[in-house]
Amino acid sequence: MGRLIAISNRTAADPSARAGGLAVAVWESLTSTGGMWFGWSGNIVKGEPGPPEHITDEGVDFVVTDFTEAEHDGFYLQYANRVIWPVFHYRVDLAHFGDTDFEAYEKVNKRIADMVVPHLEKGDSVWVHDYHFLLMGDFLRKGGWDGPIGFFLHIPFPSPEVFRALPEHEQIARAMCEFDVLGFQSENDRSNFVQFLVRSCDGVDEGDGWISVFGRRIRANAYPIGIEAESFAKLAVGQRAKTAATRIGKFLGGRKLVLGVDRMDYSKGLPQRFEAVGKMFDNFPSTRGRVSFTQIAPPSRSKVEEYQDLRVQLDELAGRINGDYGDLDWIPLRYLARSYDRKELAGLYRIASVCLVTPLRDGMNLVAKEFVMAQDPDDPGVLILSQFAGAAEQLSDTLIVNPHDRYHVAETIYKALEMPLEERQERWEKLRRTVVEQDISWWRQKFLDDLDVDTC
């Protein structure tokens, strides 16, 4: 394999952005191959953008471009986040199908592709990331690149019936089939994509991930993304983690902590989670005064109206639950609309008796894996996980719930709080083994090995 060429909406040109996520996943391969990383600079300009900026760091060449106000609005805020995001998270009711937004999405995909193609050399492998660039493979091919192109979708891929709600679904599907290897977070997502190609595009499922469609033979597999497992475990016993645990420990006053950590996004099921916590206090009076729920939910996409409405809804629910159940020396539900450093979060995970990861739909959800790695082996907490999170396929030894069933979630929280130590340790050992064995390096290598082999 020659150089790795990465394409994503945001890059890690800023060294401070390399602490986790995609940056960690691809950085080793980029540095070892002298690769390049293309994407948006994060800047929005009036008028036409200037030439792309070139930044070199540790042998990796970053090429980033500014977006115009029209591009940022039409490509990013509108089509990517008000069309693709809600549809792929099964919220067609929240999608806004504008007349010109797809045109903006197309133009940005083409502009980035035109930035990339002149830099490509024989032997390079291109790895495109996420829903911002579903058309990238097609534009790279039209630009003359015939080398290997891989694509990984970090969010869910919807069922064929939901995908067809996109007015441009045929064009998007055909463009996605210009990738040689397509990666999905879960087998369910992969199956949805393949079913669409077979039912709607006369594709042939040849087995082992191979599909013949549109005159090409491509491969679609599940590659569940991992975390830096051992590194995160060390964070949980570091000084920043201990300080965070001490701070929240003063508030808890010996009570058990039930914790949620999510971006403030309608896909995360936060209103349903708050209601389930309220049902727990309703149905299990023994939890009153001895359990506190803390939800960390930093605002997300604050310019989008749906997220502003969500915050109002959460504020109202938190106020009602605290009004109904709170006492002079006990706040049942704390809701913190701000972000915390990963080192601090590791400490909060470690002190929590229960972690609620109950999205209505999620590609993977790495909070679940971070919680597992942060636990004290002598007294591990319990993970409650939505059946609609990609992580549920890997982490089957958690307590799996339907986040829409508030009564069952409430019962499951109580079950987790009362679970004997021996059972908690047994479940945690199995979860830890999975998270360690299938970490971020395993994910990266599994995908790149398939891209290398399948395109030889």
Side-chain angles (χ1 to χ4, degrees):
M1 184 174 176
R3 297 185 306 168
L4 178 66
I5 310 299
I7 304 173
S8 61
N9 185 53
R10 297 303 300 268
T11 73
D14 179 356
S16 65
R18 299 174 198 164
L22 177 60
V24 169
V26 303
W27 187 250
E28 183 178 323
S29 294
L30 287 170
T31 55
S32 64
T33 65
M36 302 183 72
W37 196 341
F38 294 82
W40 175 36
S41 66
N43 298 323
I44 305 168
V45 297
K46 295 181 178 180
E48 292 302 309
E53 181 182 4
H54 292 251
I55 304 164
T56 301
D57 190 10
E58 295 187 34
V60 178
D61 291 329
F62 294 92
V63 183
V64 295
T65 182
D66 300 336
F67 282 168
T68 66
E69 291 179 336
E71 287 175 332
H72 182 255
D73 182 65
F75 162 76
Y76 181 74
L77 291 179
Q78 299 303 320
Y79 200 80
N81 285 310
R82 300 193 80 179
V83 180
I84 296 176
W85 181 272
V87 171
F88 278 37
H89 286 85
Y90 292 75
R91 292 302 304 270
V92 178
D93 58 309
L94 295 180
H96 294 254
F97 301 108
D99 295 333
T100 61
D101 297 332
F102 183 69
E103 182 181 349
Y105 184 81
E106 277 188 299
K107 286 181 177 178
V108 171
N109 271 253
K110 183 179 186 302
R111 186 158 80 82
I112 300 292
D114 290 345
M115 278 171 45
V116 175
V117 170
H119 295 276
L120 296 177
E121 303 171 357
K122 184 177 176 59
D124 289 345
S125 294
V126 180
W127 195 2
V128 181
H129 287 268
D130 226 359
Y131 63 102
H132 310 90
F133 295 127
L134 299 176
L135 310 180
M136 184 60 63
D138 186 42
F139 285 120
L140 290 173
R141 298 298 185 204
K142 289 174 178 175
W145 176 244
D146 61 1
I149 312 175
F151 173 78
F152 186 77
L153 183 66
H154 292 256
I155 67 173
F157 191 88
S159 66
E161 294 77 13
V162 174
F163 182 61
R164 279 195 287 268
L166 285 173
E168 304 83 11
H169 64 271
E170 291 183 11
Q171 184 175 343
I172 291 172
R174 185 177 287 271
M176 290 180 70
C177 290
E178 292 297 333
F179 296 115
D180 296 295
V181 176
L182 294 103
F184 299 89
Q185 294 278 26
S186 68
E187 177 59 31
N188 183 66
D189 295 334
R190 186 206 70 85
S191 177
N192 285 340
F193 179 70
V194 174
Q195 285 181 52
F196 176 80
L197 295 182
V198 170
R199 294 180 190 175
S200 302
C201 307
D202 296 322
V204 177
D205 184 358
E206 300 178 0
D208 197 28
W210 291 100
I211 308 109
S212 291
V213 64
F214 300 128
R216 303 191 76 238
R217 190 168 183 258
I218 62 175
R219 197 171 192 188
N221 275 327
Y223 304 89
I225 194 168
I227 63 170
E228 291 181 286
E230 298 291 4
S231 296
F232 199 84
K234 292 177 182 177
L235 288 184
V237 294
Q239 190 54 52
R240 291 282 296 279
K242 290 178 180 178
T243 300
T246 299
R247 288 179 61 196
I248 199 169
K250 292 177 180 177
F251 161 76
L252 291 171
R255 299 180 182 92
K256 290 186 176 183
L257 172 64
V258 177
L259 181 67
V261 178
D262 307 82
R263 287 183 300 103
M264 194 180 295
D265 188 293
Y266 51 74
S267 68
K268 301 300 183 182
L270 298 181
Q272 292 83 355
R273 187 181 306 171
F274 281 23
E275 290 173 358
V277 169
K279 292 296 180 188
M280 179 193 68
F281 292 130
D282 255 343
N283 299 342
F284 301 95
S286 63
T287 60
R288 299 173 194 169
R290 72 179 190 92
V291 176
S292 289
F293 172 62
T294 294
Q295 175 68 53
I296 295 172
S300 173
R301 302 179 182 89
S302 57
K303 292 185 178 180
V304 179
E305 182 180 340
E306 289 79 6
Y307 296 96
Q308 296 168 349
D309 293 343
L310 174 61
R311 176 154 188 177
V312 171
Q313 186 179 5
L314 295 179
D315 289 344
E316 291 175 351
L317 281 169
R320 180 173 60 79
I321 291 169
N322 286 330
D324 287 347
Y325 301 105
D327 209 336
L328 294 176
D329 59 349
W330 174 56
I331 300 175
L333 187 154
R334 283 212 308 171
Y335 149 53
L336 307 173
R338 52 157 293 182
S339 59
Y340 288 84
D341 182 89
R342 292 176 74 240
K343 296 176 182 178
E344 295 175 306
L345 290 176
L348 301 183
Y349 294 142
R350 193 171 181 87
I351 200 175
S353 298
V354 178
C355 184
L356 287 179
V357 180
T358 55
L360 304 182
R361 191 69 61 168
D362 219 336
M364 176 53 58
N365 199 300
L366 297 180
V367 166
K369 297 184 177 184
E370 291 175 345
F371 176 77
V372 168
M373 292 310 302
Q375 294 311 294
D376 178 355
D378 294 328
D379 187 22
V382 179
L383 176 63
I384 297 177
L385 183 59
S386 166
Q387 67 188 65
F388 302 116
E393 286 187 7
Q394 281 180 298
L395 306 181
S396 57
D397 287 288
T398 62
L399 298 180
I400 305 293
V401 296
N402 177 350
H404 298 282
D405 187 345
R406 298 158 179 79
Y407 293 94
H408 182 242
V409 175
E411 291 174 358
T412 305
I413 299 171
Y414 182 73
K415 176 183 177 181
L417 290 166
E418 298 298 318
M419 186 179 292
L421 175 61
E422 185 177 350
E423 182 181 352
R424 286 189 279 125
Q425 289 177 319
E426 183 180 346
R427 287 176 180 272
W428 174 76
E429 285 285 358
K430 293 176 182 178
L431 294 170
R432 182 188 179 280
R433 191 178 307 120
T434 298
V435 176
V436 169
E437 290 176 354
Q438 300 177 11
D439 66 357
I440 194 75
S441 297
W442 169 87
W443 170 79
R444 178 190 66 240
Q445 204 56 52
K446 191 170 186 287
F447 185 95
L448 293 179
D449 283 350
D450 280 359
L451 182 60
D452 191 32
V453 170
D454 294 344
T455 54
C456 288

